Amino acid sequence: MRRLFVGKRLLWSLFFATAAFGFVSCGNDGEEADAHGVFYATEIVVSAESNGKLLEFDVQEGKNYQAGDLLGYTDTMDLALQIQQLEVKIRATLASRPDIPSQLNTLQAQLQTMERERNRVATLVDANAATTKQLDDVDAQIKILKSQIAATKSTLGTQSAAILENVEAMRIQMARLQNGLDKCKITAPITGTVLKKYIEPNELAYPGKPLFKIADITNMSIKVYVTEDQLSTIKVGQGAEIHIDTESGKDRVIKGKVSWISDKAEFTPKMIVTKKERANMVYAVKVSFKNDGSAKIGMPGDVYFK
């Protein structure tokens, strides 16, 4: 009887151990992920847009910056002096514009005098106190004065227009210099974290030279690949869970949404293992999420579509 009792206890112990193992294995951690991939973010390499010594460059790797923050600038002295020179030249050119009204005042006054004289002579002709030739002479003088006024107005207007055109050309040139001056400023193109710094203050910068790399690590994505049969159950806007391995053995879970699905099949990338163990043709899917600091660029992750 004792042996039978011991045998029953052993059987019950094995039963509970097997049941417990089965319960753990059926948990979410044991479930195979729908897809696997690596995390990435929008990375921008900011390059210099002007030549000159980097006079100031307040950039630190790992530090967050807001879009538009001024991070440094290259030497701007030469451009600033050229702009000042053009400003002086514009003022001098504008000062040389002819004063059309003042230059026409004399001719206008002569015309008014001749018109009064014509009225007087016309009255005398009506009274037979003057000849018609005298009236014709006055009319001829009036006609000449009107022609002089028109010619002078046209000439002065042409001169003034030419001066204004020259000033406009100088202003365009100054705008180009101002644009070059603005390019000497180094700003953050996006809100993000500096990943890499390539240059130090007082080094020479030139157009195209990389200065630093910045990435938005708050709004990140994971790119995964799914097979054709999985594709029919996935749509843009669909929710997903992103699992990240941790040292404790319990996955870190982040909520995300499908933001893009490729409409073109491609061969499975070598580094990706899909649910069906490297199917020949797969579709790329991007799952976007708000990063709480757990995800790092290049880190692997698992995706469970909901």
Side-chain angles (χ1 to χ4, degrees):
M1 288 292 292
R2 182 175 179 80
R3 289 180 180 177
L4 182 59
F5 178 76
V6 171
K8 288 182 177 180
R9 289 187 59 185
L10 180 60
L11 288 174
W12 279 107
S13 298
L14 291 172
F15 173 78
F16 283 118
T18 303
F21 176 79
F23 177 78
V24 172
S25 299
C26 292
N28 192 48
D29 292 339
E31 182 182 349
E32 184 181 0
D34 295 321
H36 312 268
V38 293
F39 297 109
Y40 72 96
T42 301
E43 298 182 18
I44 297 177
V45 176
V46 179
S47 300
E49 296 185 82
S50 63
N51 285 310
K53 182 186 290 187
L54 196 59
L55 298 182
E56 185 175 335
F57 192 51
D58 185 19
V59 172
Q60 299 178 23
E61 293 180 355
K63 186 175 179 180
N64 295 325
Y65 297 95
Q66 297 295 314
D69 282 354
L70 181 62
L71 306 180
Y73 56 88
T74 54
D75 187 5
T76 62
M77 181 60 71
D78 184 57
L79 289 172
L81 291 175
Q82 290 184 57
I83 290 175
Q84 290 181 9
Q85 184 180 18
L86 272 177
E87 288 175 344
V88 173
K89 191 174 180 180
I90 287 173
R91 289 196 296 269
T93 304
L94 288 174
S96 67
R97 287 180 64 191
D99 188 354
I100 297 177
S102 64
Q103 294 193 40
L104 290 177
N105 283 341
T106 302
L107 292 174
Q108 292 285 0
Q110 292 178 13
L111 178 62
Q112 291 175 3
T113 300
M114 292 306 299
E115 287 177 341
R116 287 194 298 269
E117 179 64 15
R118 184 190 184 284
N119 292 333
R120 187 183 69 81
V121 173
T123 302
L124 292 174
V125 170
D126 291 340
N128 294 322
T131 65
T132 55
K133 183 180 183 304
Q134 290 177 304
L135 182 61
D136 292 339
D137 291 341
V138 174
D139 286 337
Q141 291 179 11
I142 290 175
K143 186 176 181 180
I144 292 172
L145 282 172
K146 286 182 176 180
S147 297
Q148 289 178 346
I149 289 173
T152 302
K153 187 181 295 185
S154 176
T155 301
L156 295 178
T158 301
Q159 292 176 1
S160 180
I163 290 173
L164 291 177
E165 288 292 333
N166 289 335
V167 169
E168 184 64 24
M170 287 186 283
R171 283 176 174 162
I172 292 173
Q173 186 179 355
M174 190 165 66
R176 291 180 59 188
L177 291 172
Q178 185 62 51
N179 182 55
L181 192 64
D182 293 338
K183 288 182 178 180
C184 293
K185 300 176 183 177
I186 302 167
T187 58
I190 61 173
T191 298
T193 302
V194 172
L195 303 179
K196 185 69 176 177
K197 181 178 179 181
Y198 301 109
I199 194 172
E200 295 295 335
N202 296 316
E203 290 187 35
L204 183 64
Y206 52 85
K209 180 177 178 62
L211 302 178
F212 64 97
K213 181 193 290 185
I214 189 171
D216 180 5
I217 60 174
T218 300
N219 300 291
M220 292 184 64
S221 301
I222 181 171
K223 191 175 185 180
V224 298
Y225 295 86
V226 299
T227 55
E228 187 174 359
D229 58 340
Q230 287 178 289
L231 190 64
S232 61
T233 62
I234 301 171
K235 61 182 180 180
V236 175
Q238 179 178 338
E241 282 188 357
I242 303 165
H243 288 229
I244 304 174
D245 294 335
T246 61
E247 293 182 356
S248 65
K250 185 177 180 180
D251 290 353
R252 176 76 175 177
V253 180
I254 302 176
K255 300 291 184 180
K257 285 186 178 181
V258 177
S259 57
W260 173 78
I261 301 175
S262 175
D263 57 358
K264 183 179 180 181
E266 56 186 292
F267 287 103
T268 309
K270 294 181 179 180
M271 75 292 293
I272 302 298
V273 179
T274 63
K275 188 175 182 180
K276 289 196 172 181
E277 298 296 328
R278 294 181 51 77
N280 288 332
M281 300 297 288
V282 292
Y283 292 83
V285 176
K286 183 170 74 172
V287 179
S288 301
F289 61 94
K290 286 283 186 180
N291 185 21
D292 59 1
S294 303
K296 307 295 181 184
I297 297 175
M299 178 187 293
D302 301 326
V303 174
Y304 296 81
F305 296 106
K306 298 300 178 182

